[in-house]
Amino acid sequence: MDNAVNFKTLVNKFYKNIVSSNEVDDSNCHSHLNVVIKSLSNDLEKNSNYIYSFQPVCRFLDSCINNIPEEFYRFENSIRNIKPQLNWQINNNYKNIFSKDFFYNESFVEIIGPNGLLISPNVRVGLLLLGEEVFYPSHNHKALEFYSILSGKSMWQQNNDRFEQKEPGDNIFHDMWVPHAMETTGEPTLALFSWSGAINDEAVPI
């Protein structure tokens, strides 16, 4: 099976399991997951213009993949197989605002979406990679966002609440315009993410 299609199928099944487990009690989060499931249930066109690129933080990618827990071994295999095709990016809205160290230690890749390896007009699905010691300052966006930690422990904050440690198996939902920040303290983090709603409006710093 094509690596991108395999990734799509895996995420679709993963989200279906989350919904069926009834662990999600937020209606907007539940709605978001169902939108992604519906979108990923369709056959998606391969993006012939998708070009591989990497960012400095990709130096941590192999170690993150190797540290994905055994319970998520299908993600480990899928990401390892698709890795040579991925177009890692930075958010241009952060330029001249966030530090140079931030851009050396953060990147994301859209695997499914309007500009993804597989084209979907309604959702964005991909990976976030954070280095060993990086602070991702508070930011927000109109899109609904769902994260699932695949590798590494990190600290996550919403609004002005206290930072909470998240580790593999933990999920985080960000509603529209909810400020959020992240921090790593000694180990890199790899997370699966999905967006729905206003997916073409990138995050902005606060």
Side-chain angles (χ1 to χ4, degrees):
M1 182 182 293
D2 179 86
N3 292 333
V5 174
N6 179 66
F7 178 82
K8 176 181 79 75
T9 302
L10 182 59
V11 175
N12 197 19
K13 182 177 181 181
F14 180 68
Y15 274 21
K16 285 180 178 178
N17 288 339
I18 292 176
V19 170
S20 64
S21 70
N22 294 318
E23 65 180 85
V24 174
D25 54 12
D26 184 291
S27 60
N28 282 353
C29 180
H30 197 274
S31 174
H32 165 76
L33 293 174
N34 281 319
V35 168
V36 177
I37 289 169
K38 182 177 179 180
S39 297
L40 300 191
S41 297
N42 298 324
D43 292 331
L44 301 179
E45 178 185 356
K46 186 82 173 286
N47 186 355
S48 60
N49 296 317
Y50 194 86
I51 300 174
Y52 167 81
S53 69
F54 67 95
Q55 298 293 333
V57 72
C58 290
R59 67 192 186 277
F60 294 111
L61 182 56
D62 284 339
S63 64
C64 281
I65 294 173
N66 292 337
N67 288 326
I68 293 176
E70 186 176 349
E71 63 189 288
F72 300 123
Y73 75 92
R74 288 187 176 87
F75 275 109
E76 177 186 352
N77 293 335
S78 180
I79 296 170
R80 194 184 305 280
N81 290 336
I82 205 173
K83 182 182 70 169
Q85 300 172 264
L86 298 181
N87 178 18
W88 291 92
Q89 306 170 56
I90 58 172
N91 184 345
N92 289 326
N93 289 340
Y94 299 154
K95 286 185 176 180
N96 301 316
I97 299 175
F98 291 175
S99 69
K100 290 182 179 180
D101 180 71
F102 172 81
F103 294 105
Y104 192 65
N105 285 288
E106 185 274 347
S107 186
F108 70 94
V109 57
E110 178 182 313
I111 301 175
I112 301 167
N115 302 299
L117 185 56
L118 294 178
I119 299 173
S120 173
N122 301 318
V123 300
R124 295 172 72 183
V125 180
L127 302 169
L128 171 73
L129 180 59
L130 300 174
E132 291 175 328
E133 299 277 354
V134 60
F135 177 59
Y136 192 149
S138 188
H139 57 286
N140 64 9
H141 40 73
K142 190 175 181 180
L144 302 178
E145 179 178 61
F146 190 80
Y147 276 107
S148 297
I149 308 299
L150 297 177
S151 178
K153 296 178 181 178
S154 46
M155 306 298 293
W156 294 65
Q157 178 195 52
Q158 294 195 44
N159 296 305
N160 291 317
D161 297 341
R162 293 178 62 182
F163 277 85
E164 296 183 3
Q165 181 172 285
K166 302 296 182 180
E167 55 189 57
D170 287 338
N171 300 314
I172 306 105
F173 174 66
H174 298 136
D175 213 331
M176 291 187 295
W177 297 122
V178 170
H180 48 284
M182 301 85 110
E183 184 175 17
T184 57
T185 56
E187 58 183 295
T189 290
L190 182 67
L192 172 72
F193 79 84
S194 59
W195 275 26
S196 67
I199 62 172
N200 293 311
D201 299 334
E202 296 290 354
V204 292
I206 297 175

